[in-house]
Amino acid sequence: MLRVAVIGSGPSGVYTAQSLIQQQVVPDLEVHVLDRLPCPYGLVRYGVAPDHEKIKSLQNNLRAVLEHPAVHFLGNVRIGAPGLEPADLLRGYHAVVYCVGAATDRRLGIPGEELPGSVSATDFVSWYSAHPDAAGSGFALGARSAVVIGVGNVAVDVARILGRGADELRGTDIPHAALDALSGSRVADIHMVGRRGPSQAKFTTKELRELGALPSASVLLRADELSMDPDFTDPAGLPTANRRNVEVLRGWAAVPPSDRPRRLHLRFFLRPVSVLGSEQGVTGVRFERTRPDGRGGVVGTGRFEVVEAQLVLRSVGYHGVPVPGLPFDAERGTVPHAAGRVLRDGAPSPGEYVAGWIKRGPTGVIGTNRPCAKETAGSVLADAAALVGRALSADPREVMRAAGQEPVEWPGWRGIEAAEAALGRELGRNSVKIPDWDGLLTAARTGG
Ligand code: NAP
C-alpha cells in the first residue's frame, strides 16, 4: 500500500488527491487530505466571494473527490505544531504533498500602512467569508469613501462587495454579522487604483464586466488616465486577456456613466506613497502620478494626488508563509521544487512534494491548479516503487493524536454543513456560514 498525505484541502490539494486516484498507477493507494480548519475546500470556501455562486458550486466537484473510498478528510490538524512537523508526518505516510497555499498578504512598505482603517484585502475577504481566524468586524464601514489599492481580481472582489447593497447578498452564504454590517455601510465612493495602466491590470475580463453590471453602483473612468496608456488607444498588439479588458473599458468610456447611489472609480497610473491619518483613523492615500516607461513598467512624475478615504483596503497580492521544517524561498514565498519534488540543498527530498500556490506562487485561477497538481501527482506516482520500500513506523492518526491534534473527519464536516443549513433556516436565509472556531467544532462534534 502507498499511503499519501495531502496537506491542504483547497483546490490544489483536492486536485492532487484526484490526480493520484485517477491515474490508477498504484493498485493499493490511500490518500489522507489534512487541513488545519475543520472545513474543507480552502479558498473556494474562504476566498471566493459569496456572490460568486457558480464558482462556489465547484465545492460539489471537490466533495466528490473527498468522498471517494480511497480518500479521507482529516480537518482540524495543524501541521507545524510540536510533534507534527514534516519529519513526524513521514513516520505515518510514504509521501506528503504540501498544498498549503499562500496564507498572508504582501506588504506595501509605505508609511501609514498600519493605521486604523487601513487593512489588507485578505482580512476583509476572510471576514465576509466567515473564516474562523478573521480579525472581526473592525472595518470602517461608516466611511463615505474607500480606496482599494491594486487592480487584481481580489481588488475587484472587495470593490464589488462594497459596491453591492446588502439585499444583493442576502441570498448568499455570507455570515449574518457581515451582512448586518454591510447593510449599515455608508460607503458611496470606491476608488480602485492601479499603479500601471489599464492594459496592464491583472483582473480578468469576466470579473471586470461584473463591475459594470452592479445594480447599485456606476463605474467611472478618467479619460486623461486611459489615454496615457498607448495600448488603450491601440490594443491590437495586446495578448488576448489584456485586449479584452481594454475593450470592456473602451466600451464603458464611450458612454456616459449611469447614475446609481454608489460610484466605483477605476483609477490608473497612481502609485501609493503613504496612507494618511492618525491613530483616530485614515483620512486618505497620497499617490504619486506615474507614466509608462515604454517597457511595461512606470516611472514617477514627481506630481502627487491625495484621494480622500476613511477606509483603505490593500489588495496587492498574497505571499506564502514557511512551513516549519520545510525549505523556503522567502523572496518568492514558495518551497523550492523540481516538478513538485521538494528540493533540500538542491536535491529532491524523498517523500516530500508541493503543489498549488506554495509551489508556483499566488497566480492563476482555480483551474490553473489542475495541471499543477497533475504534475506533482505524476512525480509521486513515478517515485511510488521507491516510496513504498520505506517501512512506516506509526499509524498517522496516532501521530496526530500524540501531537495533541483531534481530527475532524468527514462525518464531522457533514455535521457542520447540517448546522449551517439549520442556521440559515432560523434566519430565513439559505445555508449561512458559522464564523467561529467554537461553533464549528461544536457542530462537528455534535452533528449539528
Ligand atoms: P494579483 O493578481 O497579483 O494583483 C495584485 C495587484 O496589486 C496588481 O494590480 C499589482 O500591480 C498591484 N500591486 C502589487 N504591488 C503593489 C504596490 N507595491 N503598489 C501598488 N500596487 C501593487 O493578486 P490578487 O488580486 O491578490 O489575486 C491573486 C490570484 O488570485 C490571482 O491569480 C487572481 O486572478 C486570483 N483570483 C481569482 C479570482 C477569480 O477568478 N474570480 C478572484 C480572486 C483572486 P502590478 O501589476 O503593477 O504589479
Side-chain angles (χ1 to χ4, degrees):
M1 153 166 328
L2 176 68
R3 195 186 279 152
V4 182
V6 172
I7 312 300
S9 64
S12 63
V14 178
Y15 288 149
T16 299
Q18 184 176 38
S19 206
L20 286 168
I21 53 177
Q22 270 177 351
Q23 294 188 34
Q24 292 185 346
V25 175
V26 180
D28 199 7
L29 174 71
E30 189 174 286
V31 183
H32 288 187
V33 180
L34 278 56
D35 202 294
R36 83 182 182 84
L37 296 175
C39 314
Y41 312 137
L43 276 184
V44 178
R45 179 174 160 93
Y46 287 117
V48 172
D51 58 339
H52 273 174
E53 275 123 344
K54 191 149 172 245
I55 310 181
K56 284 234 175 258
S57 70
L58 248 178
Q59 291 184 9
N60 296 329
N61 304 10
L62 304 184
R63 165 195 297 271
V65 177
L66 293 175
E67 289 185 337
H68 186 282
V71 179
H72 303 274
F73 172 72
L74 292 110
N76 195 35
V77 177
R78 191 177 292 263
I79 309 304
L84 205 54
E85 296 193 1
D88 305 301
L89 285 169
L90 285 173
R91 289 168 48 224
Y93 296 100
H94 296 105
V96 184
V97 188
Y98 294 89
C99 304
V100 294
T104 191
D105 57 297
R106 287 209 335 236
R107 316 300 291 170
L108 280 169
I110 59 173
E113 188 171 6
E114 304 297 341
L115 284 175
S118 164
V119 289
S120 77
T122 48
D123 282 348
F124 193 65
V125 170
S126 291
W127 170 68
Y128 68 56
S129 301
H131 194 293
D133 289 342
S137 55
F139 303 104
L141 294 174
R144 304 293 304 183
S145 173
V147 164
V148 180
I149 300 176
V151 284
N153 276 335
V154 171
V156 172
D157 277 348
V158 299
R160 191 182 66 254
I161 294 292
L162 285 175
R164 283 202 188 281
D167 283 345
E168 296 168 45
L169 294 167
R170 201 170 301 279
T172 73
D173 66 358
I174 190 168
H176 215 59
L179 187 67
D180 267 356
L182 285 167
S183 66
S185 164
R186 297 175 62 217
V187 176
D189 287 282
I190 304 143
H191 308 263
M192 190 171 111
V193 187
R195 59 182 171 178
R196 297 191 288 157
S199 72
Q200 293 149 331
K202 294 266 179 68
F203 44 59
T204 43
T205 310
K206 188 171 144 292
E207 280 60 33
L208 174 65
R209 276 208 185 97
E210 278 181 273
L211 294 180
L214 292 176
S216 49
S218 337
V219 176
L220 283 89
L221 298 161
R222 293 260 300 250
D224 57 334
E225 291 175 352
L226 300 174
S227 63
M228 278 172 65
D229 184 343
D231 289 318
F232 183 85
T233 315
D234 177 12
L238 286 171
T240 311
N242 307 61
R243 183 169 44 75
R244 289 203 179 122
N245 283 346
V246 168
E247 281 161 4
V248 170
L249 293 169
R250 283 166 63 104
W252 290 346
V255 294
S258 53
D259 186 19
R260 296 186 184 135
R262 298 189 188 86
R263 290 166 296 277
L264 214 161
H265 309 260
L266 284 193
R267 304 290 311 270
F268 296 99
F269 293 114
L270 290 171
R271 151 163 100 195
V273 175
S274 57
V275 178
L276 307 174
S278 66
E279 285 311 311
Q280 270 64 56
V282 300
T283 54
V285 182
R286 186 163 189 258
F287 291 96
E288 181 179 13
R289 285 222 139 273
T290 61
R291 60 177 169 76
D293 66 1
R295 298 184 305 278
V298 285
V299 287
T301 61
R303 287 185 294 123
F304 295 86
E305 173 176 337
V306 171
V307 178
E308 175 238 337
Q310 302 80 39
L311 172 65
V312 175
L313 295 173
R314 309 178 310 259
S315 183
V316 294
Y318 292 91
H319 196 78
V321 294
V323 175
L326 272 196
F328 191 65
D329 177 337
E331 195 165 320
R332 298 189 60 226
T334 55
V335 171
H337 74 96
R341 294 179 179 91
V342 171
L343 297 176
R344 289 185 186 270
D345 300 323
S349 171
E352 294 185 309
Y353 302 84
V354 279
W357 278 2
I358 197 67
K359 171 185 174 187
R360 60 173 208 278
T363 57
V365 293
I366 291 172
T368 317
N369 289 297
R370 267 186 189 282
C372 175
K374 193 170 174 202
E375 180 194 54
T376 298
S379 296
V380 175
L381 295 172
D383 299 345
L387 293 170
V388 291
R390 182 176 64 81
L392 300 179
S393 62
D395 174 78
R397 286 180 178 80
E398 283 312 312
V399 176
M400 290 171 213
R401 292 208 177 93
Q405 308 287 303
E406 272 302 322
V408 167
E409 302 206 28
W410 198 248
W413 159 242
R414 297 304 302 265
I416 293 173
E417 278 189 313
E420 293 189 336
L423 177 61
R425 280 194 299 278
E426 212 176 283
L427 295 167
R429 297 177 51 199
N430 297 329
S431 197
V432 170
K433 280 184 183 163
I434 297 173
D436 62 292
W437 276 99
D438 274 359
L440 290 170
L441 292 177
T442 303
R445 308 271 180 242
T446 61

